[in-house]
Amino acid sequence: MNKARSGLTILGIVIGIGSVIAMISIGQGAAGSIESRIQSMGSNLITVMPGFQKSFSQVKAGMGSAQTLTIEDAEAIVQGIPNVQAVAPELSRRYQVVARGQNTNTQIIGTVSAYPLVKNVEIGLGSFISDQNVRSMSKVAVLGPTTRDDLFGENTNPLGQTVRINGINFKVIGVTQSKGGTGFGSQDDIIFIPLTTAQKFLAGADYVSTISIQAENAQTMASVQSGITNLLLRLHNIAEPELADFNVLSQQDILTAASSITNTMTILLAAIAGISLIVGGIGIMNMMMTTVTERTREIGLRKAIGAKRLDISLQFLTEAVMLTFLGGAVGIILGSGLAYGISFFTALPTKISLFSIILAFTVSAGIGIAFGYWPAQKAAKLNPIEALRYE
Amino acid sequence: MIEAKNISKIYKSGNMETKALKGISFSIKEGEFVAIMGPSGSGKSTLMHILGCLDTPTSGKYFFEGKDVSQLSDDELADIRKNRIGFVFQSFNLLPRATVLRNVVLPLVYAGVSRDKREKQAKTALQNVGLGESHFFHLSNQLSGGQMQRVAIARALVNNPSLILADEPTGNLDTKTGEVVLDTFHKLNSEQKRTVILITHELYVAKHAQRIIRIRDGEIL
């Protein structure tokens, strides 16, 4: 076999397998990080979100647009549903925030004292919003660590300072501990204020945007979820569950939805990488065709001394599979290196799974068989007399 | 051991029909050394292919060791070639980047002989044609023409065939090395009682055989 030619040809497989491995590991890494983000939102968590704004016309507003959830709903859940550990209604919106001349745009969450328990939030400095704050509509704020860094400088103590949210002064009474995660939806770039304050002074309305409920344990999740659904249907005077103006989602529901998205993304990435595998396979086929032609006399001789069609066919198939297997092995090393490099130089997490390695080996062997088959058949069908005469 | 009955071979290409063999009949007994002689285009190569079970006749019957092989399939013919026939070609047809030993072992690989036995048989065959141990691990493209042809003869011998078929075995050799090769065939015939068929166009080569079958324009003269 011609070494340079074989080397160049398997490069196609190397690149194909390498990119499949890298893409799958990026996809799985993303899935893993999204999963842990969802887990960190709290344990045994059930979320009630508003649904469509229903009206008598055919016009539907977007999901979450309804303003039908209220503090009363949250209180009814606390009183009416067994096995509920804590309930935290919240009203969240984004506002411009100013402090000491620094300003930022961040998410303001109006909520109650149960929030840290339900959402796994821990207090770093000072204290969280108390029931007293909620009752008296105090203008106090608890900052996320990122917001604190943006407004007051890194690792400073802002307790007692004032922040202006939408033109209203709030006194800082606490800073939460970092939960990690960056970018949109970060749990660190956030400001908590009392729910009543948010409704009266910022939103000017008395609805809440989400109610988070913590069930006592994983076993009671299902009964709590259905209990809440029935209770809210009754409270909202809705007879048909399909017409509900809210959604009750468990953490598992969110996890399932998120992983179906990341799975689709992984498959998409792998499919794009898979195209290069097919191109690589065609390269193998092309080279095997040339090899068969070049070795026509050898094939003729082998047949003359007793090789059957199957013997010849297997010989060339084995050669093709060995080439693609070698390419697959190098590709796995390259792809793993690439994945490692990506998570080393960027924040993107990657995860190389045994599954993707086994997949890569199977696929490369499969490509050897699929694209080696035709050349092998061509070799096997050669007429020994003509093959021996071939110049 | 060989009986050809009224063998014809017709090649068709498009509308053209070429009659390469026109009803040839003869027989060869076991242990004979026969030369088939004829000018190029006489049909002797076609005849050799049929005798060697590389091809089947268009009509007529060919009995090899009492068995009618004229209608067998490709793979059935391969079985006969593997076990019963050894070929020697004009252009040697050795695997160029393989050792001498590997070349001789090759037919035994297809015959399914075990690894240890293969090597032993191959070494014996090489010694039979006068190639000693020192040559076993040379690459076959480093040998002289005469040596190459003797490797090819060893390869033909290695599976203990009942028939050795040599197609112009001296065609690519000078007269002196040609003589050495022909001597080897002589010895195989007289000492080991093997049946040898020699295909050639030269009388002085054919004269080494006990009997000459002359062929011209697809017919026996």
Side-chain angles (χ1 to χ4, degrees):
Chain A
M1 263 186 282
N2 186 324
K3 275 190 190 116
R5 193 170 66 193
S6 306
L8 286 172
T9 312
I10 67 169
L11 208 55
I13 300 292
V14 169
I15 293 168
I17 291 284
S19 45
V20 167
I21 289 273
M23 290 306 155
I24 289 181
S25 66
I26 288 170
Q28 291 192 330
S33 91
I34 288 171
E35 218 164 275
S36 69
R37 187 85 67 86
I38 291 169
Q39 299 287 10
S40 80
M41 287 188 334
S43 48
N44 304 327
L45 186 68
I46 294 167
T47 311
V48 183
M49 298 209 299
F52 302 108
Q53 178 73 60
K54 291 276 162 26
S55 68
F56 292 106
S57 77
Q58 293 295 309
V59 181
K60 264 187 182 177
M63 178 76 98
S65 60
Q67 304 185 343
T68 51
L69 293 176
T70 60
I71 295 184
E72 287 72 36
D73 289 337
E75 279 164 3
I77 289 168
V78 174
Q79 279 151 22
I81 308 290
N83 301 321
V84 166
Q85 184 100 352
V87 177
E90 60 184 89
L91 173 59
S92 70
R93 278 198 191 174
R94 295 188 77 83
Y95 290 103
Q96 202 67 23
V97 181
V98 186
R100 285 169 156 193
Q102 299 292 325
N103 79 97
T104 181
N105 186 291
T106 189
Q107 186 162 33
I108 312 297
I109 296 195
T111 187
V112 299
S113 60
Y115 188 92
L117 179 65
V118 177
K119 290 288 193 85
N120 263 353
V121 175
E122 287 183 38
I123 297 300
L125 285 170
S127 58
F128 199 74
I129 293 151
S130 68
D131 290 337
Q132 172 61 31
N133 293 150
V134 176
R135 272 196 299 276
S136 60
M137 293 185 210
S138 315
K139 289 178 189 132
V140 293
V142 176
L143 308 184
T146 305
T147 316
R148 186 264 320 265
D149 294 349
D150 288 348
L151 293 174
F152 296 98
E154 275 184 40
N155 295 322
T156 49
N157 183 346
L159 295 186
Q161 305 273 357
T162 302
V163 292
R164 274 178 87 80
I165 303 171
N166 206 25
I168 300 162
N169 283 336
F170 284 78
K171 193 176 123 195
V172 178
I173 59 164
V175 179
T176 62
Q177 272 182 14
S178 174
K179 292 185 90 171
T182 51
F184 187 76
S186 164
Q187 302 266 311
D188 291 345
D189 188 7
I190 207 160
I191 294 177
F192 301 101
I193 60 173
L195 176 60
T196 46
T197 317
Q199 286 180 332
K200 186 159 167 77
F201 297 107
L202 294 183
D206 62 355
Y207 69 95
V208 300
S209 51
T210 319
I211 302 173
S212 302
I213 299 108
Q214 188 178 37
E216 269 175 0
N217 51 51
Q219 284 75 42
T220 54
M221 286 281 283
S223 71
V224 170
Q225 196 177 354
S226 63
I228 292 169
T229 309
N230 293 333
L231 176 71
L232 292 183
L233 285 173
R234 207 166 60 239
L235 285 176
H236 293 190
N237 286 322
I238 296 165
E240 304 267 336
E242 292 79 45
L243 297 176
D245 55 1
F246 58 88
N247 285 299
V248 183
L249 297 171
S250 72
Q251 217 165 359
Q252 194 53 50
D253 297 335
I254 299 170
L255 218 54
T256 309
S259 62
S260 93
I261 293 169
T262 52
N263 278 347
T264 310
M265 187 182 85
T266 306
I267 290 167
L268 187 74
L269 286 174
I272 291 168
I275 292 170
S276 64
L277 259 184
I278 293 174
V279 175
I282 293 169
I284 292 276
M285 188 189 274
N286 190 16
M287 194 202 74
M288 289 307 294
M289 285 302 220
T290 316
T291 306
V292 168
T293 308
E294 279 178 354
R295 286 159 69 181
T296 299
R297 279 178 76 94
E298 177 194 323
I299 295 162
L301 171 84
R302 283 174 186 271
K303 290 196 122 184
I305 62 173
K308 294 185 182 174
R309 284 184 176 199
L310 188 67
D311 295 319
I312 300 293
S313 167
L314 278 181
Q315 184 195 343
F316 283 93
L317 218 49
T318 310
E319 231 164 76
V321 170
M322 265 165 56
L323 282 176
T324 53
F325 224 69
L326 187 68
V330 178
I332 286 170
I333 296 169
L334 188 83
S336 306
L338 202 64
Y340 179 78
I342 286 168
S343 39
F344 188 81
F345 290 109
T346 73
L348 272 176
T350 58
K351 193 172 138 205
I352 298 149
S353 64
L354 188 66
F355 164 76
S356 60
I357 287 173
I358 291 171
L359 181 81
F361 263 123
T362 323
V363 165
S364 56
I367 283 182
I369 293 169
F371 290 94
Y373 183 80
W374 188 30
Q377 283 304 303
K378 189 184 156 195
K381 281 186 189 151
L382 282 176
N383 179 329
I385 301 165
E386 281 162 29
L388 279 168
R389 279 204 200 118
Y390 185 84
E391 294 297 332
Chain B
M1 99 165 257
I2 281 179
E3 199 175 358
K5 278 188 180 170
N6 202 18
I7 287 180
S8 303
K9 184 73 183 176
I10 299 167
Y11 292 109
K12 280 183 190 159
S13 64
N15 289 330
M16 281 279 291
E17 274 194 1
T18 317
K19 283 191 172 176
L21 296 175
K22 301 167 186 167
I24 283 185
S25 300
F26 64 92
S27 62
I28 293 172
K29 286 196 226 30
E30 195 163 347
E32 268 196 291
F33 186 175
V34 178
I36 295 174
M37 198 184 95
S40 59
S42 61
K44 63 181 193 303
S45 289
T46 307
L47 182 58
M48 177 238 164
H49 293 146
I50 292 172
L51 293 181
C53 292
L54 284 162
D55 205 352
T56 50
T58 313
S59 67
K61 285 200 185 304
Y62 172 39
F63 293 94
F64 182 81
E65 293 184 320
K67 189 181 173 192
D68 183 6
V69 296
S70 40
Q71 304 297 330
L72 295 185
S73 74
D74 274 9
D75 279 354
E76 287 168 321
L77 290 175
D79 263 334
I80 293 175
R81 296 199 295 270
K82 179 162 69 188
N83 298 315
R84 313 302 304 152
I85 303 173
F87 287 94
V88 178
F89 301 98
Q90 177 176 1
S91 48
F92 324 136
N93 280 318
L94 301 178
L95 303 187
R97 284 177 300 269
T99 62
V100 165
L101 197 60
R102 171 76 195 152
N103 267 287
V104 179
V105 155
L106 198 59
L108 300 177
V109 175
Y110 290 118
V113 177
S114 77
R115 191 173 290 267
D116 293 347
K117 231 173 142 190
R118 286 205 296 252
E119 291 235 327
K120 233 170 110 189
Q121 269 177 264
K123 284 175 180 170
T124 315
L126 280 165
Q127 275 153 357
N128 267 342
V129 297
L131 285 169
E133 202 132 343
S134 56
H135 294 98
F136 288 177
F137 297 101
H138 282 164
L139 292 184
S140 61
N141 54 5
Q142 295 170 343
L143 301 175
S144 72
Q147 285 170 327
M148 282 201 228
Q149 196 56 301
R150 278 185 287 159
V151 174
I153 296 171
R155 183 180 62 196
L157 279 177
V158 75
N159 55 356
N160 226 0
S162 52
L163 172 66
I164 292 173
L165 209 51
D167 184 12
E168 303 273 11
T170 57
N172 279 3
L173 302 173
D174 58 62
T175 322
K176 210 175 134 207
T177 22
E179 285 297 329
V180 178
V181 167
L182 288 169
D183 253 7
T184 315
F185 285 118
H186 247 302
K187 275 190 196 145
L188 291 174
N189 175 252
S190 57
E191 290 170 15
Q192 301 184 19
K193 306 291 174 213
R194 289 181 199 275
T195 317
V196 178
I197 300 178
L198 193 63
I199 286 101
T200 183
H201 66 277
E202 284 177 302
L203 186 59
Y204 84 91
V205 175
K207 274 184 173 163
H208 285 76
Q210 297 159 351
R211 179 153 74 98
I212 299 176
I213 297 173
R214 287 170 197 269
I215 177 169
R216 173 165 293 179
D217 298 328
E219 285 168 313
I220 290 181
L221 295 179

